[in-house]
Amino acid sequence: MRFSVCIPNFNYASYLGRTIDSVLSQSHTDFEIPIADNNSTDASWEVIQEYVAKDKRVIASKNPTNVGFAGNLDAVSRMVTAEYTIMLSSDDLMGAGALETYQQLIGLIGNQSFIISSTWHVIDPDDNRTGVSGPPQKMWLKTDIDTELSKQLGCDVYKVKAGELLKRGLLNAKGAFNFAATCYRTEDYIKVGGYGGTRMMNPDKWFHFRLLGGPVEYAYFIDKPLFSYRVHPNNQNALQKKSGALKFFVDEYRTTFETDKTMLEKAGITQKDLTDSFVLNIIHKYTFRRIKEGSPMGAFRLWCMGFAAYPAVMFKKRLTYILFLFILSGPLGYWILKPFKQNFNN
């Protein structure tokens, strides 16, 4: 069973060697490591060439220009020759035995289209563990735990039909998988047309939605830390925040009209369900957050975006008007909402 552990990279020379080493040290050795460098300006390419010279399983390509994060995910995916693909960020780590565990689960579930993900450790720039990120809430439920698979792997293994998980994702505007821990069949990547390269933020989330709404039959989550996600000032999430959160909201809005009829039918929801989810989980939720953060103008911008996108839905929700009153109250709204947890009931 052969894996392609894809590493898209941009300016992570200080972490890249540790990432590659974490893959090369796996007990399961039948893999390749395609690396696509997105025209880095640091010493990344020199680091990559050192590993290419040392191990024939490491193959590399450098983009002549920066094609963006999503574009680089497709660039590295085009280098894949193995049956199964795992995308690993160039600042993250693959834990000991990760490939062996994935191989074991794939052997147990047989010949089907799937997505597999797992829990990961959270680490700092010096590889110190600072936390654990398990199954995303609302996406994986205790009732999803498969007792037989859990017994075989020695940890909780969640199993959900693809359509059901897609439904949960669309209705909660949440992704179900940890980026650096997700494995899928390479042929399924080809079937859905790859990442697409057009999403400005979190392109993996939309890609996973299309896998769930397309060829994938079941999704699995191994509740055991098999990867490590690194938090540092220049990681992808931090850079996305610096680039402006509006990109995130535009991408979420696009999901409401780019989710096609086939995906909606597989999820068992309607277009109205999707637009209602966008207003509740994106517009209302983040307007609430902006008020709590003391940013009434940021809240007002989102509130206006909601009316620009789906005015009829906004008009019907009483929370729309409650939030507007808090926006108008300025600092007073911040102090009133600050003690409250985020809770929405239409």
Side-chain angles (χ1 to χ4, degrees), residues 111-238:
N111 185 28
Q112 62 176 243
S113 291
F114 61 80
I115 307 180
I116 299 173
S117 192
S118 73
T119 294
W120 57 18
H121 290 292
V122 180
I123 59 175
D124 66 14
D126 299 316
D127 296 351
N128 299 307
R129 292 175 181 173
T130 60
V132 176
S133 176
Q137 292 183 350
K138 295 185 178 181
M139 298 303 296
W140 303 91
L141 312 177
K142 288 297 182 182
T143 52
D144 298 328
I145 294 175
D146 186 292
T147 53
E148 184 58 34
L149 290 175
S150 299
K151 181 180 178 181
Q152 293 286 341
L153 266 68
C155 62
D156 285 341
V157 178
Y158 296 72
K159 177 183 178 181
V160 184
K161 286 185 177 181
E164 172 60 25
L165 197 61
L166 177 62
K167 176 182 179 179
R168 295 176 191 176
L170 292 173
L171 293 185
N172 290 287
K174 292 187 68 172
F177 309 102
N178 289 332
F179 171 75
T182 301
C183 176
Y184 46 87
R185 298 198 310 176
T186 303
E187 66 179 272
D188 291 336
Y189 164 88
I190 296 170
K191 286 179 181 178
V192 301
Y195 287 85
T198 61
R199 292 287 163 136
M200 294 179 284
M201 301 180 73
N202 300 322
D204 52 303
K205 177 181 172 183
W206 176 238
F207 169 66
H208 295 152
F209 278 172
R210 287 185 291 124
L211 283 177
L212 292 170
V216 167
E217 301 169 65
Y218 283 94
Y220 300 84
F221 196 100
I222 303 170
D223 195 6
K224 177 181 179 181
L226 297 176
F227 293 77
S228 293
Y229 171 76
R230 191 184 306 278
V231 176
H232 58 91
N234 293 312
N235 75 351
Q236 186 63 27
N237 283 342

Side-chain angles (χ1 to χ4, degrees), residues 16 23 107 134 166 168 171 241 244 247 253 291 307 344:
L16 184 55
V23 183
L166 177 62
R168 295 176 191 176
L171 293 185
K241 289 179 181 178
K247 293 180 180 180
Y253 171 56
I291 296 170
F307 269 103
F344 298 100

Side-chain angles (χ1 to χ4, degrees), residues 283 286-291 294-308 314 320 323-328:
I283 300 301
Y286 286 92
T287 297
F288 182 91
R289 281 190 182 181
R290 294 295 180 267
I291 296 170
S295 177
M297 286 306 298
F300 183 63
R301 181 177 68 173
L302 276 175
W303 191 84
C304 290
M305 181 182 179
F307 269 103
M314 289 286 286
T320 298
L323 289 171
F324 185 61
L325 290 176
F326 280 113
I327 292 171
L328 289 179

